[in-house]
Amino acid sequence: DAGITQSPRYKITETGRQVTLMCHQTWSHSYMFWYRQDLGHGLRLIYYSAAADITDKGEVPDGYVVSRSKTENFPLTLESATRSQTSVYFCASSDGGNPNYGYTFGSGTRLTVV
Amino acid sequence: AQSVAQPEDQVNVAEGNPLTVKCTYSVSGNPYLFWYVQYPNRGLQFLLKYITGDNLVKGSYGFEAEFNKSQTSFHLKKPSALVSDSALYFCAVRDMNNNAGNMLTFGGGTRLMVKP
């Protein structure tokens, strides 16, 4: 089924480990985004990308790394996971050529850092 | 800069009663406005949008929203709430005249609880 998929759905990792969350979209949307959702904070933008090989920081980028070598993929890496990075992570995409459209979101990855 | 405010963390309503979830926005130009819904353990789903035209916009699941330019508001409404409407609702805005590209700014979310 076409769309935007995130993997894994759930992940438990230990403090200090590196972990990568995957995001894949099938529409060739130019824009992709990573958000984290925490109780009391709503959605906070971590990083976004306007096109392949173009990325930029959002509101809370510290401790995260992104890459976008292909239009359809936008992985998010936690270089050395901390307990404060326990959260639900959402990937989203948008057609940059048409501002009438909003974002399409993945189902999320629930990450627990122990 | 563009911003969105959802003044209520939670809205409680009885099933069958009308519901309103409030949203106000701030942009320098003309706004594109969106409502999204998030059910438990799911991603955000698009409900409706205002781009231009009629101030009353109809969307999915019987929801509608009214764009009020003078009050800079875009409140979400439904004439008769269902228990299955219980979810987290997000308002979002994009400034049509903003050169920051394709960025939406989201409100903090409002939890809607519909009781039987």
Side-chain angles (χ1 to χ4, degrees), chain B residues 1-19:
Chain B
Q2 55 196 41
S3 65
V4 177
Q6 294 182 242
E8 302 154 315
D9 289 337
Q10 182 161 316
V11 170
N12 298 311
V13 64
E15 187 174 33
N17 283 359
L19 69 88

Side-chain angles (χ1 to χ4, degrees), chain A residues 9 37 90 94 99-100 103, chain B residues 36 38 41 49 94 102 104:
Chain A
R9 192 79 171 87
Q37 185 178 30
F90 288 100
S94 183
N100 286 354
Y103 295 179
Chain B
Y36 288 83
Q38 184 182 27
N41 301 314
K49 66 181 178 183
R94 175 187 290 128
N102 202 22
L104 281 180

Side-chain angles (χ1 to χ4, degrees), chain A residues 14 17 19 21 28 37 43 50 54 66 73-74 89 100 111:
Chain A
E14 294 179 340
R17 288 194 179 269
V19 60
L21 310 184
S28 299
Q37 185 178 30
L43 289 171
I54 300 175
V66 293
N73 296 322
F74 191 39
Y89 291 85
N100 286 354
L111 176 68

Side-chain angles (χ1 to χ4, degrees), chain A:
Chain A
D1 190 18
I4 184 165
T5 55
Q6 293 184 237
S7 60
R9 192 79 171 87
Y10 301 93
K11 176 74 176 179
I12 300 174
T13 191
E14 294 179 340
T15 302
R17 288 194 179 269
Q18 183 180 82
V19 60
T20 296
L21 310 184
M22 304 302 293
C23 180
H24 175 80
Q25 53 108 351
T26 59
W27 294 296
S28 299
H29 283 169
S30 56
Y31 276 80
M32 296 187 75
F33 308 86
W34 274 107
Y35 288 88
R36 60 178 289 174
Q37 185 178 30
D38 305 289
L39 196 62
H41 290 279
L43 289 171
R44 291 186 289 177
L45 181 65
I46 304 171
Y47 269 96
Y48 68 99
S49 170
D53 297 321
I54 300 175
T55 62
D56 209 346
K57 296 178 179 179
E59 180 186 357
V60 288
D62 293 345
Y64 302 95
V65 174
V66 293
S67 62
R68 196 158 176 217
S69 58
K70 293 183 179 181
T71 299
E72 61 266 31
N73 296 322
F74 191 39
L76 175 73
T77 298
L78 287 67
E79 294 185 299
S80 178
T82 66
R83 287 180 180 157
S84 65
Q85 292 176 310
T86 292
S87 186
V88 180
Y89 291 85
F90 288 100
C91 180
S93 71
S94 183
D95 180 0
N98 190 340
N100 286 354
Y101 290 99
Y103 295 179
T104 302
F105 285 83
S107 297
T109 295
R110 184 175 293 276
L111 176 68
T112 302
V113 183
V114 298

Side-chain angles (χ1 to χ4, degrees), chain B residues 13-109:
Chain B
V13 64
E15 187 174 33
N17 283 359
L19 69 88
T20 299
V21 182
K22 296 179 180 178
C23 171
T24 58
Y25 66 89
S26 176
V27 295
S28 57
N30 292 315
Y32 290 134
L33 292 156
F34 300 82
W35 275 103
Y36 288 83
V37 59
Q38 184 182 27
Y39 297 104
N41 301 314
R42 302 288 296 276
L44 277 70
Q45 299 175 29
F46 170 79
L47 261 184
L48 52 79
K49 66 181 178 183
Y50 171 82
I51 303 299
T52 187
D54 193 347
N55 289 343
L56 185 64
V57 179
K58 295 188 183 298
S60 306
Y61 312 120
F63 283 92
E64 57 190 26
E66 186 169 11
F67 170 63
N68 187 318
K69 188 172 183 178
S70 63
Q71 297 185 5
T72 61
S73 67
F74 190 56
H75 301 331
L76 182 69
K77 300 180 180 183
K78 188 173 183 181
S80 178
L82 299 173
V83 172
S84 57
D85 293 330
S86 298
L88 189 56
Y89 291 81
F90 289 92
C91 183
V93 68
R94 175 187 290 128
D95 188 341
M96 290 171 58
N97 300 339
N98 193 329
N99 290 326
N102 202 22
M103 304 300 292
L104 281 180
T105 297
F106 288 87

